[in-house]
C-alpha cells in the first residue's frame, strides 16, 4: 500500500529522483554520443537536472538561495552554449562534420 | 492533492521522455527538438514548485533562445542522418552505460537513505507566490549583487569570444 | 478551497471563449485587411459575397477546407504536420494572460436549494503575478513553428525563410525585452492587471516631493515612456513577421518563405498564428501604454459605484461594468490592429542587412539608454521623496 501512497503524495523525494534521472540521461549522452552539438545538448540536460533539484530544495527547505543559484546556472549555461556553438561552427568549417574526434586537431 | 500529483506525474513523464529521446535519437535535429520539450517540461515543474519567475525565465532563456540557437546551427550545417551517432567499442560502451547506471543508482540510493534518516523538517511552503518574485529580486540585488555583476562581465567576455571564434578565417564555403 | 463547480466551469468556459475569439477574429481581420488595402490602393476589394463582401471569409474557409491535401516528397512528415499546429499555441496562451476587462464580482446568491458563495471572475484567461514574463516566455516559443515548417518542408527556400525568421525574432526580442524592462521598472510590478490599475484617472505624478497634475491628459504609460512605446511597437512588428519586417516571406527573393510548401487548411493555421501575434502585440500595447481597459480620465471603481446606485443590484452593475470596459478595451485594441494593417500597406520592405542594422545598432542602444535613464530617474525621484 506504501507504493500507492508515494504515488499520490508527491514530495521532495520525487523531484530529487527525477532530477537524478535527468542528470543520468545527460551523462549517458555526454559519454556515448559523438556529435559535438549533441554532447553540448546533453550537458544542458545535466544542468537542467541540477536546476530542478535546486528549486525543489528551495521550496522544501523554505530558502530562496536555491532559486538564486538556478538563476546563475542558467546564465552560465547560456554563455557556455554560445561559446560551444562558436567552436562547433569553427570545427564544421574545417571538416564539414561536427564529430568530437576532430577536436584533437584544434591544438597548435 | 490528487490533481497536483497527477500534474507532477504527467509533466515528469513528458520530461523524461524528452530527455531519453535527446540521448537516443540519431538525427540531431530531433534531439534538439526533444530537448526543447524537456526544457518546457522542466519549466512546468518549476511552476509546480512555486518558482513562477524562474519558470518564465526558463522558457525565455532555454526554450526560447538557447535551444533555438542550437536548432538554427544544426539546420545551417544540414546534417542528415549521422553514420556513427554513438561511440565505437562494445566493451567501452558497456563500461560507460554501467558508469551511468552506477551514478544514478548511487545518487538515488543516497537520496532514499538520507530521507529515511532525516526527512526535511521545515514547513514546505514559502511565502505565497505573490511575494516570491519580489523577494528573489531583493535577494539578488542585495546579498548576491557581486555574483550578479560578475555574471555580467562573464557574459560580455563570452559575447566577444564567441564573435571572435565564429569570425575565424574562411566562410562556411571555404573548404578545407 | 473556495473553488466550487460554478467557478471552475466558468473558468474553463473563459479559456474556450478566448481561444474561439482569436480564431474567429482572424477572418474578420483578413476581410479588414483586404478591404483596407483596397481602400489605400484605390480599388474595391472583395465585395461580391454577402453584404460588403463579409461572407467572403466564409467562402474562403470552405475553399481552404476542400483543397487537396499534399505533403512534399522530400520533407519530414512529422515536422511538416506539427508546424502549423505549433503555430497556434504561443499566441493563444499569451492572449489568455491579458486582462480584457474589469473583473466581475458576483454576490452570494441562492439557487437550486444551495447557496453559492461570492465569486470574483477576472476578465482574462488566468491572472498571474508574473504576467508579462509568462507572455514573453510563451511567445518566444513561436520561433519553433517557423523552424519546424522550414525544416520539415525539405525546400531550400523555406529553410532560408525559417532561418531568417528565427534570427530576426531573436534579434528583436532584445529591444522588445528591454522596452518591457523599462516599463516594469516604471510600474514596479510584473502583473498586467496591476499595471492597468496604476494608469487610472488623469496624469498625476510625484516629483521632488510635489504633486504635479496635468488634468487634460489621462494617466497613461505612453506619456511617461514614449521611447519605450515606439521601440516596443516597432519590435512587435518584427516579432510577428509583418511588413516592413516580413523578410522571412519576402515574395521576390524567397517565393513565400517558410510556408512555400503549405496549402489549404495548414496554410490557414499559419495565418491564424500570425494574426494571433498581431493581436497579442496590440493588446500588450493597450495594456502597457494606453491604460488597458479603462475609459480615459475615468476610474473603473467609480463607474461601478455609480452603476450600483442607478441599477440597484451590485452583481448586475459589476457585469455591466465588466462588459463596458471590455468594449473600451476592444476599441483601443482595434485601433492598434488597424495601425498594423495601415503600416503593412504603406511601408516597403527592408533589406536584410538594414533589418539587422536597425535591430542591433539603432533599437538596442536606444532601448538600453531608455532603461538606464528610467532607472536613474526613478532612483532620484524616490530618493528626494524619502529624504
Amino acid at each position: 500500500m506504501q507504493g500507492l501512497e508515494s504515488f499520490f503524495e508527491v514530495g521532495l523525494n520525487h523531484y530529487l529522483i527525477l532530477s537524478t534521472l535527468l542528470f543520468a540521461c545527460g551523462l549517458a549522452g555526454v559519454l556515448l554520443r559523438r556529435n559535438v552539438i549533441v554532447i553540448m545538448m546533453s550537458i544542458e540536460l545535466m544542468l537542467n537536472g541540477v536546476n530542478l533539484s535546486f528549486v525543489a530544495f528551495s521550496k522544501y527547505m523554505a530558502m530562496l538561495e536555491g532559486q538564486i543559484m538556478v538563476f546563475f546556472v542558467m546564465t552560465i549555461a547560456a554563455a557556455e552554449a554560445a561559446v560551444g556553438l562558436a567552436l562547433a561552427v569553427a570545427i564544421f568549417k574545417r571538416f564539414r562534420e561536427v564529430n568530437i574526434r576532430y577536436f584533437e586537431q584544434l591544438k597548435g | 492533492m490528487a490533481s497536483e500529483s497527477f500534474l507532477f506525474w504527467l509533466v515528469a513523464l513528458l520530461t523524461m521522455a524528452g530527455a531519453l529521446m535527446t540521448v537516443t535519437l540519431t538525427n540531431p535535429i530531433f534531439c534538439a527538438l526533444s530537448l526543447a520539450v524537456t526544457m518546457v517540461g522542466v519549466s512546468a515543474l518549476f511552476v509546480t514548485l512555486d518558482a513562477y519567475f524562474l519558470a518564465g525565465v526558463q522558457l525565455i532563456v532555454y526554450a526560447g533562445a538557447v535551444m533555438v540557437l542550437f536548432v538554427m546551427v544544426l539546420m545551417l550545417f544540414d546534417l542528415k542522418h549521422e553514420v556513427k551517432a554513438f561511440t565505437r567499442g562494445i566493451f567501452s560502451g558497456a563500461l560507460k552505460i554501467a558508469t551511468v547506471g552506477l551514478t544514478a543508482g548511487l545518487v538515488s540510493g543516497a537520496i532514499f537513505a538520507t530521507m529515511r534518516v532525516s526527512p526535511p523538517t521545515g514547513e514546505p511552503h514559502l511565502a505565497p507566490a505573490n511575494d516570491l518574485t519580489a523577494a528573489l529580486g531583493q535577494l539578488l540585488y542585495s546579498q548576491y549583487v557581486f555574483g550578479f555583476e560578475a555574471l555580467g562581465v562573464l557574459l560580455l567576455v563570452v559575447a566577444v569570444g564567441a564573435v571572435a571564434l565564429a569570425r575565424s578565417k574562411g566562410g562556411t564555403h571555404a573548404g578545407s | 478551497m473556495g473553488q466550487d463547480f460554478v467557478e471552475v466551469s466558468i473558468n474553463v468556459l473563459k479559456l474556450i471563449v478566448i481561444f474561439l475569439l482569436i480564431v474567429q477574429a482572424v477572418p474578420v481581420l483578413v476581410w479588414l485587411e483586404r478591404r483596407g488595402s483596397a481602400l489605400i490602393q484605390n480599388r474595391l476589394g472583395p465585395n461580391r459575397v454577402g453584404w460588403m463582401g463579409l461572407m467572403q471569409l466564409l467562402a474562403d474557409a470552405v475553399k481552404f477546407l476542400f483543397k487537396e491535401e499534399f505533403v512534399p516528397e522530400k520533407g519530414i512528415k512529422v515536422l511538416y504536420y506539427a508546424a502549423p499546429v505549433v503555430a497556434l499555441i504561443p499566441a493563444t496562451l499569451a492572449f489568455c494572460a491579458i486582462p480584457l476587462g474589469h473583473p466581475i464580482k458576483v454576490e452570494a446568491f441562492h439557487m437550486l436549494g444551495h447557496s453559492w458563495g461570492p465569486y470574483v471572475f477576472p476578465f482574462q484567461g488566468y491572472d498571474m503575478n508574473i504576467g508579462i514574463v509568462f507572455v514573453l516566455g510563451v511567445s518566444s516559443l513561436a520561433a519553433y513553428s517557423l523552424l519546424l515548417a522550414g525544416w520539415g518542408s525539405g525546400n531550400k527556400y523555406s529553410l532560408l525563410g525559417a532561418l531568417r525568421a528565427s534570427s530576426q525574432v531573436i534579434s528583436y526580442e532584445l529591444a522588445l525585452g528591454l522596452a518591457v524592462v523599462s516599463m516594469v521598472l516604471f510600474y514596479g510590478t510584473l502583473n498586467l492587471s496591476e499595471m492597468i490599475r496604476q494608469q487610472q484617472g488623469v496624469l498625476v505624478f510625484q516629483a521632488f516631493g510635489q504633486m504635479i497634475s496635468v488634468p487634460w491628459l489621462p494617466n497613461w504609460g505612453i506619456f511617461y515612456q514614449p521611447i519605450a512605446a515606439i521601440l516596443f511597437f516597432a519590435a512587435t512588428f518584427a516579432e510577428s513577421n509583418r511588413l516592413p519586417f516580413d523578410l522571412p516571406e519576402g515574395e521576390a527573393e524567397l517565393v513565400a518563405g517558410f510556408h512555400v510548401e503549405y496549402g489549404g487548411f495548414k496554410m490557414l493555421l499559419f495565418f491564424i498564428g500570425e494574426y494571433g501575434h498581431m493581436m497579442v502585440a496590440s493588446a500588450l500595447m493597450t495594456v502597457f501604454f494606453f491604460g488597458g481597459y479603462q475609459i480615459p480620465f475615468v476610474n473603473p471603481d467609480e463607474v461601478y459605484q455609480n452603476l450600483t446606485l442607478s441599477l440597484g443590484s451590485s452583481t448586475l452593475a459589476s457585469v455591466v461594468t465588466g462588459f463596458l470596459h471590455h468594449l473600451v478595451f476592444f476599441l483601443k485594441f482595434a485601433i492598434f490592429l488597424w495601425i498594423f494593417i495601415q503600416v503593412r500597406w504603406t511601408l516597403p520592405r527592408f533589406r536584410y542587412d538594414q533589418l539587422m542594422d536597425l535591430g542591433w545598432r539603432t533599437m538596442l542602444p536606444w532601448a538600453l539608454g531608455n532603461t538606464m535613464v528610467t532607472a536613474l530617474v526613478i532612483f532620484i525621484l524616490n530618493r528626494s521623496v524619502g529624504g
Side-chain angles (χ1 to χ4, degrees):
Chain A
M1 235 44 260
Q2 199 175 2
L4 206 63
E5 198 171 282
S6 78
F7 189 86
F8 284 117
E9 290 281 325
V10 173
L12 180 56
N13 266 356
H14 292 72
Y15 286 101
L16 289 184
I17 295 294
L18 181 64
S19 127
T20 312
L21 288 179
L22 283 178
F23 187 86
C25 268
L27 187 61
V30 171
L31 289 177
L32 293 172
R33 299 302 294 259
R34 297 173 66 102
N35 187 329
V36 175
I37 298 182
V38 178
I39 289 178
M40 280 192 311
M41 290 197 282
S42 306
I43 294 175
E44 301 287 331
L45 196 59
M46 289 161 78
L47 289 175
N48 260 283
V50 175
N51 278 355
L52 185 62
S53 71
F54 269 126
V55 176
F57 274 125
S58 158
K59 177 178 173 182
Y60 285 93
M61 302 287 176
M63 279 165 74
L64 265 181
E65 273 78 359
Q67 299 199 14
I68 302 271
M69 198 65 206
V70 173
F71 199 81
F72 287 177
V73 169
M74 272 182 191
T75 323
I76 289 173
E80 172 247 317
V83 175
L85 281 176
L87 274 175
V89 169
I91 290 278
F92 185 79
K93 275 182 192 163
R94 181 96 48 97
F95 300 104
R96 324 294 306 154
E97 207 185 329
V98 280
N99 202 303
I100 187 74
R101 71 194 157 98
Y102 291 124
F103 263 74
E104 65 195 35
Q105 310 273 338
L106 275 180
K107 62 190 170 207
Chain B
M1 206 60 207
S3 67
E4 272 170 31
S5 57
F6 173 74
L7 197 68
F8 170 80
W9 285 107
L10 188 74
V11 177
L13 279 180
L14 190 78
T15 313
M16 270 323 289
L20 281 177
M21 272 157 74
T22 309
V23 178
T24 49
L25 290 180
T26 51
N27 189 337
I29 297 264
F30 281 108
C31 288
L33 292 175
S34 36
L35 186 55
V37 171
T38 312
M39 300 290 183
V40 176
V42 171
S43 159
L45 285 171
F46 284 177
V47 171
T48 63
L49 286 170
D50 292 339
Y52 293 97
F53 184 72
L54 279 182
V57 172
Q58 166 98 6
L59 272 186
I60 295 176
V61 172
Y62 267 128
V66 171
M67 286 323 294
V68 169
L69 209 63
F70 272 110
V71 175
M72 258 172 74
V73 168
L74 284 171
M75 284 181 180
L76 267 178
F77 288 175
D78 194 20
L79 299 172
K80 289 280 179 329
H81 237 55
E82 284 181 294
V83 188
K84 286 186 193 128
F86 298 95
T87 46
R88 285 169 300 182
I90 297 169
F91 179 69
S92 66
L95 206 64
K96 284 166 182 170
I97 292 177
T99 313
V100 172
L102 206 62
T103 313
L106 278 178
V107 174
S108 28
I111 290 168
F112 277 122
T114 325
M115 285 301 154
R116 196 164 298 136
V117 177
S118 62
T121 45
E123 208 24 50
H125 288 290
L126 291 167
N130 204 341
D131 313 316
L132 220 56
T133 309
L136 189 65
Q138 291 284 356
L139 206 58
L140 189 62
Y141 285 102
S142 58
Q143 202 174 340
Y144 295 94
V145 72
F146 176 74
F148 189 76
E149 295 293 331
L151 272 185
V153 175
L154 174 80
L155 280 182
L156 185 68
V157 171
V158 160
V160 174
V163 170
L165 270 175
R167 282 180 73 94
S168 61
K169 56 187 177 282
T172 323
H173 300 285
S176 48
Chain C
M1 278 280 135
Q3 292 198 329
D4 61 18
F5 178 69
V6 179
E7 203 156 5
V8 170
S9 49
I10 286 200
N11 282 337
V12 171
L13 265 181
K14 270 194 311 199
L15 292 180
I16 295 170
V17 165
I18 290 176
F19 178 68
L20 288 180
L21 183 87
I22 288 188
V23 175
Q24 295 304 313
V26 169
V28 181
L29 278 175
V30 171
W31 175 82
L32 200 69
E33 178 133 35
R34 292 179 68 182
R35 292 288 290 196
S37 72
L39 189 79
I40 290 167
Q41 297 168 344
N42 203 10
R43 45 188 184 85
L44 283 175
N47 63 349
R48 294 303 168 93
V49 193
W51 181 71
M52 299 263 291
L54 260 174
M55 286 295 123
Q56 180 72 41
L57 7 140
L58 210 62
D60 277 349
V62 173
K63 182 190 78 176
F64 273 131
L65 272 178
F66 284 100
K67 277 201 168 182
E68 188 194 340
E69 169 82 34
F70 59 88
V71 187
E73 199 177 327
K74 288 192 175 165
I76 301 169
K77 231 177 172 177
V78 188
L79 301 186
Y80 178 80
Y81 279 111
V85 181
V86 175
L88 276 183
I89 297 172
T92 318
L93 284 181
F95 204 77
C96 284
I98 295 169
L100 306 174
H102 202 248
I104 293 178
K105 295 190 197 75
V106 179
E107 300 282 308
F109 59 95
H110 276 279
M111 200 176 70
L112 304 174
H114 289 281
S115 61
W116 307 83
Y119 304 113
V120 178
F121 297 114
F123 223 106
Q124 77 196 91
Y126 23 78
D127 192 8
M128 294 199 276
N129 257 310
I130 51 147
I132 180 60
V133 178
F134 175 79
V135 170
L136 285 184
V138 169
S139 45
S140 71
L141 297 182
Y144 284 109
S145 137
L146 309 179
L147 285 170
L148 289 182
W151 185 254
S153 302
N155 179 325
K156 67 178 146 194
Y157 289 117
S158 43
L159 182 60
L160 282 173
L163 289 176
R164 274 186 178 190
S166 50
S167 55
Q168 170 181 328
V169 166
I170 290 184
S171 309
Y172 278 78
E173 213 155 69
L174 290 171
L176 185 93
L178 282 172
V180 169
V181 164
S182 59
M183 293 317 286
V184 169
L185 275 176
F186 171 62
Y187 290 121
T189 175
L190 298 170
N191 189 330
L192 293 174
S193 319
E194 178 65 32
M195 284 183 187
I196 293 175
R197 213 139 48 74
Q198 293 192 13
Q199 301 181 42
Q200 285 172 353
V202 295
L203 198 64
V204 172
F205 57 93
Q206 212 169 22
F208 306 108
Q210 285 173 320
M211 295 292 281
I212 299 174
S213 163
V214 187
W216 42 273
L217 280 179
N219 196 10
W220 284 350
I222 187 164
F223 301 117
Y224 299 100
Q225 292 277 352
I227 297 175
I230 294 167
L231 290 171
F232 183 83
F233 203 43
T236 50
F237 273 90
E239 292 277 308
S240 51
N241 296 327
R242 296 275 301 183
L243 264 171
F245 300 109
D246 75 334
L247 274 299
E249 33 193 286
E251 295 90 353
E253 312 131 46
L254 290 183
V255 200
F258 59 91
H259 53 58
V260 195
E261 299 282 359
Y262 283 88
F265 208 74
K266 299 195 285 298
M267 176 75 203
L268 189 66
L269 288 182
F270 275 119
F271 248 74
I272 296 177
E274 188 188 319
Y275 280 97
H277 275 292
M278 254 168 74
M279 283 189 249
V280 172
S282 309
L284 281 182
M285 265 312 268
T286 319
V287 169
F288 281 151
F289 302 108
F290 290 91
Y293 52 74
Q294 303 186 53
I295 310 169
F297 307 110
V298 179
N299 193 334
D301 292 328
E302 288 169 20
V303 176
Y304 173 61
Q305 278 158 15
N306 286 340
L307 275 172
T308 316
L309 285 180
S310 57
L311 287 175
S313 151
S314 65
T315 305
L316 188 64
S318 181
V319 171
V320 172
T321 319
F323 278 94
L324 189 70
H325 283 96
H326 183 52
L327 211 66
V328 173
F329 175 84
F330 229 81
L331 206 68
K332 295 177 181 175
F333 178 60
I335 291 171
F336 282 108
L337 285 175
W338 173 253
I339 294 176
F340 264 99
I341 291 170
Q342 174 95 36
V343 167
R344 174 170 178 189
W345 297 101
T346 313
L347 291 179
R349 178 180 301 136
F350 280 100
R351 244 181 19 233
Y352 198 67
D353 58 325
Q354 290 171 335
L355 172 99
M356 284 296 160
D357 254 22
L358 181 72
W360 286 96
R361 290 205 204 145
T362 313
M363 282 170 64
L364 187 59
W366 275 97
L368 264 176
N370 186 45
T371 312
M372 285 202 283
V373 170
T374 309
L376 213 63
V377 168
I378 289 174
F379 176 69
I380 291 169
L381 290 188
N382 283 354
R383 273 297 283 268
S384 62
V385 169

